[in-house]
């Protein structure tokens, strides 16, 4: 498969790129800064320098053409202000989804956040973030041309992955290593029967492949 990942230098994306490349997939990661390219090459991914905050739908679609799947794993990051939650977490996700439709890429995964909700109330930066992620999710759900899956991890950690997770429509809050999030994404890419599902993910007791198979088609 050829898989294109937006936010290719992110912590989850780099882990995902390594997993996909190791199993023989062709991976491209969209990055904003050329100096990040070597990190992607080391992960086995082809770096594509493109700023999703200023690119057009056609420019992004051109990078997506010929792909079997697209993964939106970009984020403004914890140090960013409210404005970039809107331009990255929301607008860039919408742009990437529109570009996937234009390029004819049906399989589409978006890394969201537990608690994401376009109607979420509050004025703190994290409130703005949850609204932005929720609005992006709602937009993607409305695109019939995409076989989308929305993944909402719990509290992200840098602990070593255990390969044991809980993946359900509603899990309740809990931590999850980024390594395990990447492993679940790699499995979801390969499981089109999870299309149309919004899934929460925390650490649990089910092996990743078992967890994904158990939700497939539900």
């Amino acid at each position: 498969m050829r898989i294109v990942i937006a936010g290719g230098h992110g912590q989850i994306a780099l882990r995902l790129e390594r997993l996909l490349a190791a199993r023989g997939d062709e991976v491209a990661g969209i990055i904003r800064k050329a100096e990040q390219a070597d990190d992607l090459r080391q992960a086995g991914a082809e770096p594509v320098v493109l700023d999703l905050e200023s690119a057009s739908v056609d420019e992004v679609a051109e990078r997506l053409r010929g792909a079997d799947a697209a993964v939106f794993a970009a984020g403004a990051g914890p140090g960013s202000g409210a404005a970039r939650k809107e331009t990255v977490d929301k607008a860039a996700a919408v742009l990437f989804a529109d570009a996937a439709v234009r390029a004819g890429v049906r399989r589409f995964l978006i890394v969201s956040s537990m608690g994401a909700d376009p109607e979420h109330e509050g004025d703190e930066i994290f409130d703005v973030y949850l609204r932005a992620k929720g609005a992006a999710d709602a937009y993607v759900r409305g695109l019939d041309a995409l076989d989308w899956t929305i993944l909402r991890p719990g509290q992200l950690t840098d602990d070593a992955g255990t390969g044991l997770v809980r993946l359900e429509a509603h899990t309740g809050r809990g931590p999850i290593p980024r390594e395990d999030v990447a492993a679940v994404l790699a499995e979801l890419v390969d499981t089109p029967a999870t299309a149309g599902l919004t899934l929460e993910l925390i650490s649990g007791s089910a092996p990743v492949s078992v967890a994904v198979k158990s939700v497939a088609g539900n």
Side-chain angles (χ1 to χ4, degrees):
M1 291 178 77
R2 176 172 172 78
I3 299 145
V4 179
I5 302 169
H9 195 258
Q11 295 185 68
I12 290 171
L14 284 167
R15 289 167 169 83
L16 177 59
E17 286 154 6
R18 287 188 200 99
L19 288 175
L20 296 173
R23 75 182 192 191
D25 287 325
E26 185 184 332
V27 193
I30 295 176
I31 53 177
R32 214 157 44 91
K33 300 173 182 172
E35 56 265 32
Q36 297 169 334
D38 282 346
D39 290 339
L40 269 74
R41 291 190 190 99
Q42 286 171 12
E46 166 203 340
V48 176
V49 181
L50 184 69
D51 187 350
L52 294 176
E53 288 179 271
S54 58
S56 69
V57 172
D58 282 334
E59 286 172 321
V60 182
E62 194 54 44
R63 308 309 200 283
L64 280 166
R65 227 170 286 285
D68 299 292
V71 180
F72 186 83
S80 60
R84 293 202 68 230
K85 306 302 183 197
E86 289 292 321
T87 58
V88 180
D89 294 291
K90 179 182 171 183
V94 167
L95 173 77
F96 197 61
D98 284 342
V101 171
R102 190 162 298 187
V105 181
R106 287 205 64 94
R107 188 72 181 116
F108 190 91
L109 275 64
I110 183 166
V111 182
S112 183
S113 175
M114 199 172 285
D117 179 354
E119 305 300 324
H120 180 85
E121 295 183 356
D123 302 316
E124 299 295 322
I125 293 290
F126 194 65
D127 298 322
V128 176
Y129 169 75
L130 290 177
R131 275 197 297 277
K133 295 298 277 186
D137 293 354
Y139 186 83
V140 168
R141 284 196 195 102
L143 295 175
D144 293 337
L146 295 181
D147 295 328
W148 53 264
T149 304
I150 296 167
L151 184 65
R152 292 179 165 177
Q155 180 195 349
L156 298 170
T157 75
D158 289 324
D159 297 340
T162 65
L164 298 173
V165 301
R166 184 176 171 196
L167 180 70
E168 296 167 19
H170 300 287
T171 60
R173 297 193 176 275
I176 180 80
R178 287 178 171 87
E179 208 168 278
D180 287 335
V181 177
V184 169
L185 285 167
E187 196 76 25
L188 287 171
V189 164
D190 256 358
T191 315
T194 57
L197 299 181
T198 299
L199 299 166
E200 294 184 350
L201 173 67
I202 58 174
S203 291
S205 57
V208 167
S209 59
V210 173
V212 171
K213 283 187 181 73
S214 72
V215 297
N218 290 342

